Amino acid sequence: MHPSAPPGWKSLREADGASRARDQAMTQADSSPVHPARLIAEVDRFADPDAIIVGDGGDFHLVRGASDRACPAGLWIDPGPFGCLGSARVTAMAAKLAHPDKQVLLLSGDGAFGFGAMEFDTMVRHRIPVVCVIGNNGIWALEKHPMMSMLGVSVAADLGRQTPLRQGGRGAGRHGEMVDRPEQIRPALERAFASGLPACVNVICDPNAEYPRSSVLM
């Protein structure tokens, strides 16, 4: 460290190193259901360097935002600080229409998916081959985990467990499948893109895997 470094710089560097080591361990988790950070890591390893990745959701979106993958300007699009859940399907369609030769991946929590799932019909009618990856942990994680941490109980924060949301992307003109093991993710993504259709890969994630926040939104 440079001798002129400001006071506290060393402790900040140490904290950052500890945080990165913790995040790295999460991205290598081999559990089933899948750890959300492992899912994001698998998507990042699969995606082309110029892939456009669109985020939608709460905790699942935050996990992607904390990823080490460097995205040049315009290649990572999130729903903004106030959520805007469900809007990402429209954003992803616009991205694919504007850049038909690029991979477009939509990363959605299962709660956020419910806000705009019918847009798959729009994708089919207009032949827009966006691939949606759902981190399906069966809860509103951004609400449930802080409530459990602070209150020991959660209210109205549970969704259906292992809901087969792939139905939103399966049928005439669509591709869809559900996986629950880390090693299944990349082959599922390969099949989704190879289909040339609007696709939905529903990944069953661990509801107990909590985003490592230092403060809660309550």
Side-chain angles (χ1 to χ4, degrees), residues 25-165:
M26 291 192 301
T27 64
Q28 296 174 355
D30 195 35
S31 59
S32 178
V34 179
H35 194 293
R38 175 65 186 271
L39 169 54
I40 295 298
E42 291 294 329
V43 170
D44 283 348
R45 282 191 283 265
F46 170 84
D48 291 340
D50 65 346
I52 299 173
I53 301 176
V54 184
D56 198 1
D59 263 23
F60 189 55
H61 155 250
L62 291 176
V63 172
R64 174 58 188 82
S67 167
D68 280 338
R69 176 189 170 101
C71 283
L75 298 185
W76 162 243
I77 307 172
D78 68 32
F82 295 106
C84 302
L85 299 185
S87 63
R89 265 144 293 279
V90 177
T91 303
M93 285 190 281
K96 188 63 179 177
L97 290 172
H99 301 280
D101 296 330
K102 292 184 185 290
Q103 289 180 338
V104 175
L105 290 117
L106 166 60
L107 302 180
S108 178
D110 49 336
F113 182 82
F115 276 79
M118 282 305 296
E119 293 299 342
F120 268 96
D121 179 66
T122 305
M123 294 180 197
V124 170
R125 286 186 288 109
H126 294 278
R127 298 185 177 90
I128 308 173
V130 169
V131 173
C132 177
V133 179
I134 304 174
N136 184 356
N137 61 4
I139 60 173
W140 290 106
L142 191 59
E143 287 73 34
K144 186 178 181 71
H145 288 150
M147 281 193 281
M148 293 300 297
S149 175
M150 295 182 67
L151 308 173
V153 66
S154 65
V155 179
D158 291 292
L159 301 168
R161 289 302 311 277
Q162 301 191 13
T163 304
L165 298 173

Side-chain angles (χ1 to χ4, degrees), residues 96 104 120 123-124 127-132 169-176 189-201:
K96 188 63 179 177
V104 175
F120 268 96
M123 294 180 197
V124 170
R127 298 185 177 90
I128 308 173
V130 169
V131 173
C132 177
R170 188 174 69 180
R174 291 170 283 184
H175 174 87
L189 290 171
E190 290 172 347
R191 290 189 292 270
F193 277 96
S195 74
L197 302 170
C200 182
V201 178

Side-chain angles (χ1 to χ4, degrees), residues 162-185:
Q162 301 191 13
T163 304
L165 298 173
R166 67 189 186 280
Q167 300 292 349
R170 188 174 69 180
R174 291 170 283 184
H175 174 87
E177 53 188 287
M178 182 165 68
V179 302
D180 62 1
R181 290 286 312 165
E183 66 271 14
Q184 298 170 337
I185 297 169

